[in-house]
Amino acid sequence: MTPPTRKVRLAISALPAFLAAPLLAIGLSWSPPAQASIATDALASLTGLRLIDPLTVPTLPDMVVRAGLDTLGTPYVWGGEDPDGGFDCSGLTQFVFREIAGLELPRTARAQRHEGTAVKKKQLKPGDLVFFATRRRGGVSHVGIYIGQNQFVHAPTRGSSVRVDSLDNRYWSRHYVAARRYLDTAPATAPQGHLVASANAGR
């Protein structure tokens, strides 16, 4: 697969020292996300930002997590596919996997759920995608990037920005559906043959 040609845009950093230190150590920065309106009990959490260890050799999943965190604060835009124009949920995941792993995911959350390899909730690893059914009619309608310790980064809904939330949150726990893995944990310098599955798998 052709390597990505664009680079993920860096945001302006504005974190307390105890959160900023691990991000600055790996060259990342962060802007405070706006509160989302998807549900009053689905409040953002920042504990996932403490997960990055700058002393380890990054894997592709590590880089996916870092790129996802670097989009924090980017406005939600329905149909949005890049940091300049904004993101919707599946636009964010598609952008990050394309830019970091050179993997072209389907455009919608529903279609992304059918790619990669199924993962049980207790076996989630950073870089996996987590899926939710947030609409009354059911079916997958939302997706985010798992970053570890039951945290995920996502673009929630109109009027909000990309943020971090917890799978333990009552809202997200109630609407959780499934998870999929697209990458293994090989070092980031490994050839792209280490992808678990191509975007055409299962079609």
Side-chain angles (χ1 to χ4, degrees):
M1 185 170 293
T2 303
T5 56
R6 292 182 295 165
K7 301 296 183 182
V8 176
R9 186 188 61 178
L10 294 178
I12 298 175
S13 185
L15 272 179
F18 77 98
L19 288 178
L23 296 180
L24 294 175
I26 59 170
L28 287 183
S29 55
W30 177 82
S31 296
Q35 289 295 326
S37 59
I38 192 165
T40 56
D41 57 350
L43 301 178
S45 166
L46 297 179
T47 59
L49 297 177
R50 308 178 198 181
L51 304 176
I52 300 172
D53 182 358
L55 300 179
T56 61
V57 176
T59 63
L60 278 174
D62 291 335
M63 294 176 68
V64 163
V65 168
R66 294 174 185 183
L69 290 173
D70 196 50
T71 67
L72 288 171
T74 303
Y76 177 96
V77 175
W78 188 83
E81 300 178 331
D82 62 70
D84 295 319
F87 290 113
D88 63 14
C89 66
S90 56
L92 170 64
T93 54
Q94 185 186 56
F95 176 83
V96 168
F97 273 78
R98 178 193 300 131
E99 297 299 313
I100 300 304
L103 179 62
E104 190 69 28
L105 298 184
R107 181 59 184 86
T108 67
R110 184 185 296 267
Q112 289 178 8
R113 191 251 173 112
H114 295 293
E115 300 292 346
T117 302
V119 178
K120 294 182 179 180
K121 194 173 184 180
K122 292 182 179 180
Q123 298 175 335
L124 280 167
K125 293 182 179 180
D128 293 342
L129 294 190
V130 286
F131 297 89
F132 307 86
T134 58
R135 298 173 183 170
R136 292 182 180 178
R137 61 186 178 185
V140 169
S141 56
H142 190 66
V143 60
I145 302 170
Y146 184 72
I147 63 174
Q149 295 186 3
N150 277 344
Q151 308 285 307
F152 66 104
V153 60
H154 64 136
T157 189
R158 288 182 176 89
S160 68
S161 300
V162 177
R163 74 185 198 195
V164 173
D165 273 307
S166 173
L167 292 176
D168 293 329
N169 177 281
R170 183 173 62 180
Y171 178 87
W172 297 113
S173 177
R174 186 169 67 247
H175 293 283
Y176 179 88
V177 173
R180 308 290 290 187
R181 181 167 300 154
Y182 303 86
L183 306 170
D184 67 14
T185 56
T189 54
Q192 292 185 3
H194 285 272
L195 300 177
V196 170
S198 72
N200 293 321
R203 289 186 178 176

